[in-house]
Amino acid sequence: GVAWMGLWVVRPLLKSKLHLEPAAGHQLGVEFIPVIHRFAALIVTFALPLPWLLPWGRLGLPFRESELTMLLQAPLSRRQVIQYGLLKSEVGVLLSGFIIPLFVGLGGPGARLLMGCGTWILFEFWHLNGKWRALFNLRQTEIPAALARTRRLLLSIGLVGFYAVLLLALKPFVTQVGAALSGMDYRQVAASLTAVTWPPLLEVLLPPARWLTAPMFAAGGTAFVVAAAPMLLAILAQREIVLRSKARFEENALEHARKKEAKKSPTRRFAKISSR
């Protein structure tokens, strides 16, 4: 991919008469980072717990059939197999975390690198949370039905109550934000959003998400270390929960792998083409 871009994009660009000069920077983005941080925390507060309301979803630890067969026959513990599944999906999380600051980051390479590390912390926590949820849902199919229904009911009541409180707090806030967005000038809109009064109830609900997103918006290395340390501990704790899961994922992963490979098999593709 790098060679192709260098041959067909970079080389003609360097030969052209186009002069690439750095644009004049402005402090508008830096000035309004606190309000951007608050809105990012609001989005995370709303979106992160939402999938837990659904009793279905993607497979927690997807493996290929040959991969799973090799791992289960090898002298590996269950914990090591789960750890391999987590490491296997880590590449996508890393790429996502470090590509975003290239487009929306502010400042020089050092500031963008810190933002990339902070974005990776957010995505890694979200990624592990999704694995935890998938294994939790799988575990509910293995325990007695009465206990599974009780757990699901308690979880649903808690989340519905949380979203009811969140929507109640958002009602007056949305009116203010709508009025702030009515401005035509970008600076005027940004200034209006900064002056918005955040309801006290919303301020009570936001701290966990603000702590989780704090490394992304840290100003400097010291602030980043202070913000990232507790979140890294939270990631380790959530990773430990996933590694200690008792859900029997092997059968589901094997069945999923066989179906996936059957869909991609040359015989199945030939049958589809023949039927058409």
Side-chain angles (χ1 to χ4, degrees):
V2 172
W4 187 91
M5 290 294 292
L7 182 65
W8 295 105
V9 178
V10 178
R11 187 171 58 88
L13 189 63
L14 292 176
K15 287 185 176 181
S16 69
K17 296 181 180 180
L18 179 66
H19 298 286
L20 299 176
E21 298 179 357
H26 55 78
Q27 297 300 316
L28 185 62
V30 177
E31 182 181 352
F32 293 103
I33 277 181
V35 70
I36 296 172
H37 182 191
R38 280 193 170 189
F39 277 100
L42 179 60
I43 294 171
V44 172
T45 301
F46 187 85
L48 185 60
L50 189 61
W52 285 84
L53 278 171
L54 308 176
W56 62 84
R58 298 177 64 182
L59 195 66
L61 297 168
F63 292 98
R64 293 192 299 270
E65 184 177 0
S66 56
E67 208 172 40
L68 195 59
T69 304
M70 180 191 69
L71 289 171
L72 295 180
Q73 291 179 353
L76 298 174
S77 65
R78 173 187 171 83
R79 181 186 179 92
Q80 289 172 322
V81 174
I82 297 177
Q83 202 159 24
Y84 171 79
L86 293 177
L87 289 173
K88 180 184 171 184
S89 56
E90 192 63 37
V91 177
V93 181
L94 279 170
L95 287 177
S96 302
F98 283 95
I99 283 177
I100 289 179
L102 295 177
F103 298 98
V104 298
L106 299 173
R112 290 173 184 261
L113 179 61
L114 287 180
M115 186 180 180
C117 294
T119 309
W120 170 79
I121 288 174
L122 172 63
F123 286 1
E124 180 67 14
F125 186 91
W126 207 312
H127 169 69
L128 289 172
N129 192 266
K131 299 295 184 186
W132 180 15
R133 171 188 164 269
L135 292 174
F136 173 83
N137 286 338
L138 180 60
R139 181 61 179 165
Q140 303 319 297
T141 63
E142 301 167 357
I143 61 177
L147 179 58
R149 282 194 299 268
T150 303
R151 285 184 177 182
R152 175 56 60 183
L153 181 62
L154 291 175
L155 179 62
S156 300
I157 291 173
L159 287 173
V160 169
F162 168 77
Y163 278 107
V165 175
L166 182 61
L167 293 175
L168 183 65
L170 279 173
K171 189 176 179 181
F173 178 73
V174 170
T175 306
Q176 294 185 61
V177 172
L181 293 176
S182 60
M184 299 299 294
D185 183 64
Y186 174 75
R187 293 175 180 270
Q188 181 184 353
V189 170
S192 301
L193 289 176
T194 306
V196 166
T197 303
W198 289 68
L201 188 57
L202 198 57
E203 292 281 9
V204 173
L205 297 174
L206 285 186
R210 290 185 69 177
W211 297 333
L212 183 56
T213 53
M216 293 177 59
F217 302 97
T222 305
F224 175 81
V225 171
V226 172
M231 290 301 100
L232 290 174
L233 291 176
I235 286 174
L236 289 175
Q238 194 166 217
R239 188 182 185 86
E240 191 64 26
I241 291 173
V242 174
L243 290 174
R244 295 190 178 198
S245 172
K246 296 180 179 179
R248 294 191 291 270
F249 64 91
E250 296 89 349
E251 294 179 3
N252 284 47
L254 186 59
E255 182 182 356
H256 180 266
R258 284 173 176 169
K259 288 181 179 179
K260 189 173 181 180
E261 290 183 12
K263 288 180 181 179
K264 294 182 178 180
S265 67
T267 306
R268 188 177 181 87
R269 288 201 300 268
F270 179 73
K272 284 186 176 180
I273 294 171
S274 301
S275 63
R276 292 194 190 115

